[in-house]
Amino acid sequence: MATQVIEREVLIDAPAEVVWRTITEPDQMSQWFADRVDLVVEPGAHGYMGFGDQGGPVVVETVDPPTRFSYRWNHPRDEEPVAGNSMLVEFTLTPEGEDRTRLRVAESGHELRDWPDAEKQRYADEHQHGWGEFLDRLTSVIATPST
Amino acid sequence: MTTQADDELWSAVADPSRRRVLDLLVSNGEVSASWLAGRVPFSRQAVSKHLVVLEEAGLVSRRKQGREILYQVEADRLDQATRAMADLADQWDRRLVAIKRLAEAAHAETKKKVSRTDRGKPS
């Protein structure tokens, strides 16, 4: 079970197939994402995304056109990205009537590995809003100087 | 993407177990590893490991008091972490807006072509 870090969505006036191409074709990706996209959209494919003079490896996980696309990144350079050492980015496309698509993106963090199942569930329930809640709490703590 | 320092910070707080430890430190001030271990669903060894990672990321500092070691949150660094998380949300918002613009433009273009073909004579 992955713990969600961030979830965002947008409603697009275009069919899912068009949105799918926008998020998966490298020449399109370079227009909204990385400066350099070197990626084959196939499950298990290793690629690279460059941002200016920085960048990092990416490994494609799910390719299910035109509804689901996911990849892992932010893993240590010398390790294979798996659940536990990387961030998972998942795109979900849901058609909403003709020519309209809801696009949702979720970036999730490391899995809860060594916890008992009941505790995992409780923690996930408490944190269902992901980092939004954590952010609010941190912000309020930071705003209150400690003594 | 992020810098090396951000990466460290990022992976330190991306783990829910460490966030739990951080939560406890935030709400309880200076406490020991054993005190923390009594309040989390994982082992004392795991708590120690998480504290090391949090210390390396600069989020937590330690102080010796008698025979005990007490840990506390580093507010400035935590503030930085908070901003990094808010930035990530902003980044995705900007990307989604860009995707929307590109997809809608591509779709409008296709529709224009189709209606031209329908009429049978390009203008």
Side-chain angles (χ1 to χ4, degrees):
Chain A
M1 167 169 43
T3 294
Q4 206 162 284
V5 172
I6 246 117
E7 188 180 309
R8 286 291 194 260
E9 62 174 42
V10 68
L11 202 55
I12 300 174
D13 287 319
E17 289 74 17
V18 175
V19 178
W20 175 263
R21 286 198 294 273
T22 310
I23 61 169
T24 57
E25 287 178 4
D27 67 320
Q28 297 271 299
M29 283 172 103
S30 62
Q31 292 186 58
W32 63 265
F33 202 0
D35 309 329
R36 201 186 122 199
V37 179
D38 188 356
L39 189 68
V40 182
V41 181
E42 273 170 25
H46 287 58
Y48 179 89
M49 287 197 200
F51 300 82
D53 55 354
Q54 293 182 39
V58 179
V59 177
V60 178
E61 197 162 276
T62 309
V63 181
D64 190 3
T67 55
R68 284 179 68 222
F69 172 51
S70 71
Y71 58 83
R72 289 193 173 276
W73 68 347
N74 279 353
H75 49 281
R77 245 160 241 277
D78 49 349
E79 287 176 28
E80 272 295 296
V82 289
N85 71 351
S86 57
M87 302 290 285
L88 177 67
V89 177
E90 290 175 285
F91 292 95
T92 312
L93 291 74
T94 315
E96 299 222 341
E98 207 184 329
D99 290 358
R100 181 169 271 201
T101 308
R102 185 174 297 279
L103 172 65
R104 196 171 67 92
V105 62
E107 185 156 6
S108 45
H110 302 196
E111 269 72 3
L112 304 166
R113 276 171 300 176
D114 44 1
W115 293 23
D117 284 346
E119 283 289 344
K120 283 184 190 173
Q121 193 50 53
R122 198 172 61 78
Y123 189 90
D125 289 345
E126 280 173 12
H127 289 75
Q128 57 177 321
H129 303 297
W131 285 34
E133 195 186 312
F134 187 62
L135 267 179
D136 290 346
R137 207 156 18 151
L138 286 187
T139 311
S140 65
V141 165
I142 288 156
T144 317
S146 58
T147 46
Chain B
M1 198 95 142
T2 50
T3 64
Q4 188 65 43
D6 279 347
D7 281 351
E8 219 174 72
L9 192 63
W10 184 245
S11 68
V13 282
D15 182 299
S17 301
R18 281 197 286 276
R19 249 151 66 193
R20 179 71 172 271
V21 170
L22 210 50
D23 276 356
L24 285 167
L25 287 170
V26 161
S27 32
N28 295 284
E30 252 190 339
V31 294
S32 69
S34 329
W35 186 91
L36 287 167
R39 280 153 190 87
V40 292
F42 36 90
S43 69
R44 167 68 214 263
Q45 287 94 317
V47 169
S48 300
K49 265 195 257 169
H50 291 316
L51 284 169
V52 168
V53 177
L54 289 170
E55 256 192 293
E56 280 170 357
L59 287 162
V60 160
S61 62
R62 66 164 82 195
R63 185 171 70 87
K64 225 179 158 188
Q65 190 177 59
R67 270 187 300 173
E68 242 185 350
I69 294 172
L70 299 176
Y71 295 85
Q72 69 168 7
V73 172
E74 285 294 304
D76 288 352
R77 190 71 167 145
L78 200 56
D79 185 29
Q80 234 180 307
T82 310
R83 261 181 269 140
M85 282 182 260
D87 284 351
L88 184 76
D90 287 349
Q91 250 175 31
W92 279 117
D93 282 341
R94 280 198 300 274
R95 286 166 187 162
L96 289 182
V97 167
I99 292 171
K100 179 180 163 71
R101 196 168 36 79
L102 285 164
E104 287 178 354
H107 182 51
E109 191 58 35
T110 314
K111 273 207 296 201
K112 240 194 287 176
K113 270 187 208 150
V114 168
S115 69
R116 272 206 295 268
T117 317
D118 281 352
R119 280 199 306 265
K121 39 185 169 184
S123 46

